Amino acid sequence: MFLSIFDIFKIGIGPSSSHTMGPMLAAGQFLKIARACETRVDRIRCSLHGSLAFTGKGHATDRAVILGLAGFTPERFDIDKATVALDDIRRNRILSPRFHHPYRFDPETDIRFDYEVRLPGHTNGMVLYGLDREGSEVVRETYYSIGGGFVLTEAELRAQATSQEVVPDVPYPFRTALELVEMAEASGKSVAGMMMENECAIDSRTAVRARILKIWRTMKSSIDAGLSQDGILPGGLNVRRRAKGIHDSLKAERGLNRSAPHVVNDWISAYAMAVNEQNAVGAQVVTAPTNGAAGVVPATFRYFLDHVSAAREEHVIDYLLTAAAIGGIIKTNASISGAEVGCQGEVGSASAMAAAGLCAILGGTPRQVENAAEIALEHHLGMTCDPIKGLVQAPCIERNGLGAIKAVSSASLALRGDGKHLVPLDSCIKTMRETGLDMNEKYKETSLGGLAVNLPAC
């Protein structure tokens, strides 16, 4: 089994990879079906189910569907053009995607949040309908947004569950952490080295490097943008942006020689919170492995750059390749979706990925890298996904800061050992999956439990 680094890290928009990016991509896929339909599609409708219904408003799922049907994509998203398009669609009740005839569409009535029906394939389910001029259904498709910006039709999800797995034609097709370590030791390559060889079986080394650096530039831009802005986040919770204020105060203290060593944690938190504050306003971020956990991986590398004397920006290639290897193993054997397994699958996975990447670029062996990932994931087990008011703000923003701090600590602990440890990463991933399956649905991105119902003002 092999998941590409570009399956794990995707350039997209906030606030959610599963609830914003996924529905936007699904809507774009449905446009192609509507255009190819023998009977002319005159009107498009959509129903949202499960977690997409319960927290869809807070995650801007309806907005994402509208923009996807208007022809917008996450990677080429322009917020100014999107705002103009949304105003035009709400005013005229017409979709006019490029290369299509116009479709009738009323945002007030043609998107339905169905809180009663949960589709069987996944909690993040949605159905898109094409109607003719008389209102009769001529085409429909069911989509599942399975986390991290991955979208499958109902048929694709069924085929994935029942078909024999086809091993990709790459030199190191690891599926588990044990296989990863054994292949690394047998080949004498690092985790990043094996990942690069796999990527080069698909594309040229020059192209792979260029795409990885583009991912890092987007991550870096989201940190810088978040550190430069203050104000109140949208959505009604009146959550203040804090990353800029924290960062400004840290810079002011820097030359005064009065900071305690633990203050480095505040730098790490500021970097992570900056990304997730950008995510909360719907700006461009990178899934790492999801939008809700988008701050952990970039913050950990920014810590390395700013606070480790031997750090160089070119280390980001090995860092992200190593992190993606761990993310791919977790996604293959468990889940990175908060709606499936809670936040252990989002921030927990991100922390494990960042810990592995940091351990690798600090000189860790493959066994130490695996140990670092296991430490980070183990200490996120059982974490619920309970966003207040369905917004990816509280507890999500601070949680990314703590996930990055755990990643740094986990890498450091692993480097103090020889890679031998009690709990294998594979056992930890299996435990996360089983814990997620046993977890009550109200703690899995529905805003029906936890902090989401225990804050009096909400």
Side-chain angles (χ1 to χ4, degrees):
M1 181 65 187
F2 171 66
L3 279 178
S4 168
I5 184 174
F6 307 113
D7 290 325
I8 300 299
F9 297 118
K10 301 187 185 79
I11 297 173
I13 59 166
S16 171
S17 49
S18 60
H19 288 59
T20 313
M21 283 178 60
M24 182 181 285
L25 291 168
Q29 290 181 23
F30 187 75
L31 278 181
K32 297 176 183 177
I33 296 175
R35 185 173 62 181
C37 193
E38 290 184 8
T39 303
R40 181 185 171 105
V41 173
D42 178 71
R43 186 180 206 109
I44 295 178
R45 286 182 171 158
C46 175
S47 60
L48 302 170
H49 302 264
S51 181
L52 290 186
F54 285 114
T55 61
K57 287 288 186 182
H59 288 74
T61 305
D62 48 348
R63 177 175 177 269
V65 171
I66 297 168
L67 290 173
L69 291 173
F72 286 80
T73 62
E75 189 163 355
R76 295 179 177 84
F77 187 73
D78 185 310
I79 194 165
D80 294 327
K81 291 180 180 178
T83 300
V84 172
L86 281 169
D87 289 343
D88 183 67
I89 292 166
R90 286 173 176 142
R91 183 172 58 254
N92 298 313
R93 298 171 186 169
I94 293 291
L95 296 165
S96 301
R98 195 178 180 192
F99 304 126
H100 289 251
H101 63 259
Y103 302 104
R104 288 190 297 145
F105 180 84
D106 185 346
E108 296 298 318
T109 59
D110 288 331
I111 295 184
R112 182 168 59 93
F113 290 81
D114 190 331
Y115 304 105
E116 304 297 326
V117 176
R118 185 188 187 281
L119 300 181
H122 191 281
T123 185
N124 291 335
M126 58 188 289
V127 185
L128 283 152
Y129 307 83
L131 311 177
D132 63 16
R133 188 177 294 275
E134 285 70 43
S136 297
E137 181 183 307
V138 295
V139 63
R140 80 158 71 179
E141 185 61 84
T142 299
Y143 295 93
Y144 294 105
S145 181
I146 62 173
F150 290 86
V151 176
L152 297 173
T153 65
E154 188 169 46
E156 288 168 342
L157 189 70
R158 193 183 310 116
Q160 187 182 77
T162 59
S163 63
Q164 290 291 318
E165 183 180 333
V166 178
V167 179
D169 188 17
V170 295
Y172 302 103
F174 54 84
R175 181 188 179 91
T176 66
L178 177 60
E179 291 174 352
L180 179 75
V181 171
E182 288 178 342
M183 287 182 188
E185 292 181 340
S187 66
K189 291 184 177 292
S190 66
V191 173
M194 293 193 304
M195 281 290 290
M196 179 60 85
E197 291 300 316
N198 285 348
E199 297 294 344
C200 290
I202 301 168
D203 205 346
S204 72
R205 187 175 298 268
T206 300
V208 171
R209 287 178 60 87
R211 289 181 70 185
I212 294 173
L213 291 173
K214 182 180 179 182
I215 287 169
W216 167 240
R217 286 195 299 271
T218 305
M219 288 178 167
K220 185 174 182 292
S221 294
S222 65
I223 294 174
D224 292 341
L227 293 177
S228 69
Q229 300 180 52
D230 49 25
I232 303 295
L233 297 174
L237 286 180
N238 294 317
V239 172
R240 290 183 300 110
R241 283 182 178 257
R242 297 165 57 203
K244 180 180 185 298
I246 295 170
H247 191 244
D248 288 348
S249 67
L250 288 167
K251 288 191 296 182
E253 294 171 6
R254 209 166 200 172
L256 301 180
N257 295 320
R258 66 186 190 197
S259 291
H262 65 255
V263 170
V264 73
N265 289 333
D266 298 340
W267 287 93
I268 298 168
S269 292
Y271 301 145
M273 291 168 66
V275 175
N276 286 83
E277 287 173 357
Q278 287 297 100
N279 181 61
V281 300
Q284 193 173 66
V285 296
V286 176
T287 64
T290 67
N291 282 30
V296 177
V297 170
T300 303
F301 188 73
R302 180 65 174 265
Y303 154 77
F304 170 76
L305 277 182
D306 290 0
H307 301 273
V308 177
S309 59
R312 299 290 181 271
E313 196 154 22
E314 55 262 31
H315 283 115
V316 78
I317 302 287
D318 284 354
Y319 174 76
L320 291 178
L321 284 167
T322 305
I326 299 302
I329 291 169
I330 294 172
K331 177 168 172 47
T332 298
N333 296 288
S335 175
I336 57 171
S337 169
E340 278 192 306
V341 296
C343 198
Q344 58 176 351
E346 297 206 22
V347 171
S349 296
S351 188
M353 292 162 60
L358 182 60
C359 182
I361 58 177
L362 289 174
T365 66
R367 287 192 181 274
Q368 289 172 317
V369 166
E370 184 265 356
N371 188 14
E374 188 280 327
I375 295 169
L377 185 60
E378 179 181 334
H379 298 291
H380 283 88
L381 290 178
M383 184 177 284
T384 61
C385 183
D386 52 350
I388 297 170
K389 206 177 178 180
L391 299 168
V392 192
Q393 297 179 18
C396 319
I397 294 171
E398 282 184 355
R399 190 169 282 176
N400 274 257
L402 273 293
I405 290 169
K406 286 184 181 181
V408 174
S409 297
S410 298
S412 184
L413 281 173
L415 287 165
R416 296 286 179 184
D418 60 4
K420 296 177 182 177
H421 56 107
L422 179 64
V423 181
L425 176 58
D426 290 324
S427 297
C428 194
I429 293 170
K430 181 181 180 183
T431 301
M432 185 184 80
R433 179 178 178 274
E434 292 174 349
T435 302
L437 290 172
D438 291 341
M439 190 180 289
N440 191 297
E441 288 295 316
K442 68 183 180 181
Y443 298 117
K444 294 192 282 190
E445 209 168 355
T446 61
S447 287
L448 297 175
L451 287 174
V453 300
N454 284 311
L455 193 69
C458 296

